[in-house]
């Protein structure tokens, strides 16, 4: 894509917005009050607002390779803190997608240099669920299940944070795990039972007020 074309597109977009709603940008500049924090993948094929059918100001978005939530990543932790404590979002969504390049890379043993520490977080998910994944003979189905399990583990990482735990207790914040199917365009709710997953280990992560 020609970079100059982007600025031409921007001018057209501004005119279209103003023609339908003259006060659009004035309203947009007055602040944000999104109800959802969306943590997704940086993949260029996955546009968070578009796949959810929402507009500017509706969703607070954080994206990285393979929609990870490592507790050592200051970026992810800062986003969660700001969204939960200051914006007071009502929902936190971790959304992965089938045929994710980051997850695929983590399934292989290639040395990818600077990416190795990041991919190790994803490989840890495979290690935790190795027994379940090893039972899936079809490679593509195992790949897709790995995507789903990675979403599940990142949701658990979200729940481990103090900000989210406090918000769950005080105002019933909810956490959701979704997958976007690139082949069909469908958004899938994994309906993860976090109470069951954390039943025997939550006391390790539970933080008092």
């Amino acid at each position: 894509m020609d970079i100059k074309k982007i600025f031409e597109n921007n001018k057209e977009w501004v005119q279209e917005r103003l023609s339908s709603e003259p006060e659009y940008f004035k309203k947009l500049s007055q602040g944000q009050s999104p109800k959802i924090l969306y943590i997704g993948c940086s993949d260029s094929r996955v546009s968070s607002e578009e796949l959810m059918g929402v507009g500017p100001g509706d969703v607070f978005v954080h994206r990285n390779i393979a929609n990870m939530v490592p507790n050592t990543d200051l970026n992810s932790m800062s986003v969660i803190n700001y969204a939960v404590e200051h914006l007071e979002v009502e929902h936190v969504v971790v959304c992965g997608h089938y045929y994710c390049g980051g997850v695929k890379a983590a399934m292989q043993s290639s040395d990818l240099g600077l990416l190795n520490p990041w991919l190790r977080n994803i490989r840890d998910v495979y290690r935790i669920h190795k027994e379940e994944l090893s039972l899936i003979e079809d490679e593509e189905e195992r790949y897709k299940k790995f995507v789903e399990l990675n979403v599940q583990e990142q949701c658990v990482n979200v729940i481990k944070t103090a900000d989210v735990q406090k918000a769950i207790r005080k105002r019933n914040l909810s956490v959701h795990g979704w997958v976007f199917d690139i082949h069909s365009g469908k958004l899938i709710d994994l309906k993860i039972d976090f109470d069951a997953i954390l039943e025997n280990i939550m006391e390790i992560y539970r933080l008092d007020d």
Side-chain angles (χ1 to χ4, degrees), residues 139-186:
E139 184 176 353
E140 183 173 343
E141 290 305 311
R142 184 166 65 249
Y143 178 17
K144 292 171 72 174
K145 186 62 178 181
F146 188 14
V147 166
E148 295 174 0
L149 290 171
N150 184 53
V151 168
Q152 175 180 302
E153 290 301 323
Q154 302 320 308
C155 286
V156 170
N157 285 343
V158 168
I159 294 171
K160 290 175 185 177
T161 65
D163 294 322
V164 170
Q165 288 189 32
K166 287 188 291 185
I168 289 174
R169 288 196 294 266
K170 292 180 178 178
R171 52 186 182 84
N172 204 30
L173 174 79
S174 57
V175 178
H176 312 266
W178 299 349
V179 169
F180 176 60
D181 185 353
I182 287 181
H183 275 184
S184 68
K186 293 181 179 178

Side-chain angles (χ1 to χ4, degrees), residues 24-50:
Y24 179 80
F25 294 105
K26 181 179 180 180
K27 292 178 182 177
L28 204 62
S29 66
Q30 292 173 352
Q32 60 173 328
S33 56
K35 301 300 183 185
I36 298 172
L37 164 60
Y38 173 99
I39 300 172
C41 183
S42 297
D43 194 302
S44 61
R45 300 167 296 175
V46 183
S47 174
S48 53
E49 290 90 350
E50 188 173 3

Side-chain angles (χ1 to χ4, degrees), residues 95 112 134:
C95 185
L112 296 174
S134 297

Side-chain angles (χ1 to χ4, degrees), residues 22 42 71 89 92 99 107 109 138 140 150 169 187 190 197:
S42 297
N71 72 299
V89 296
V92 178
Y99 310 105
M107 293 179 72
S109 56
D138 183 85
E140 183 173 343
N150 184 53
R169 288 196 294 266
L187 195 58
L190 296 178
I197 292 170

Side-chain angles (χ1 to χ4, degrees), residues 1 5 8 19 23-24 48 69 72 79 102 110 117 120 133 137 144 152 156 172 174 189 195 197:
M1 176 178 286
K5 178 61 176 174
E8 294 174 9
S19 63
E23 300 294 310
Y24 179 80
S48 53
V69 188
T72 54
V79 167
S110 303
R120 190 163 61 238
L133 290 166
E137 295 183 0
K144 292 171 72 174
Q152 175 180 302
V156 170
N172 204 30
S174 57
D189 186 351
D195 290 336
I197 292 170

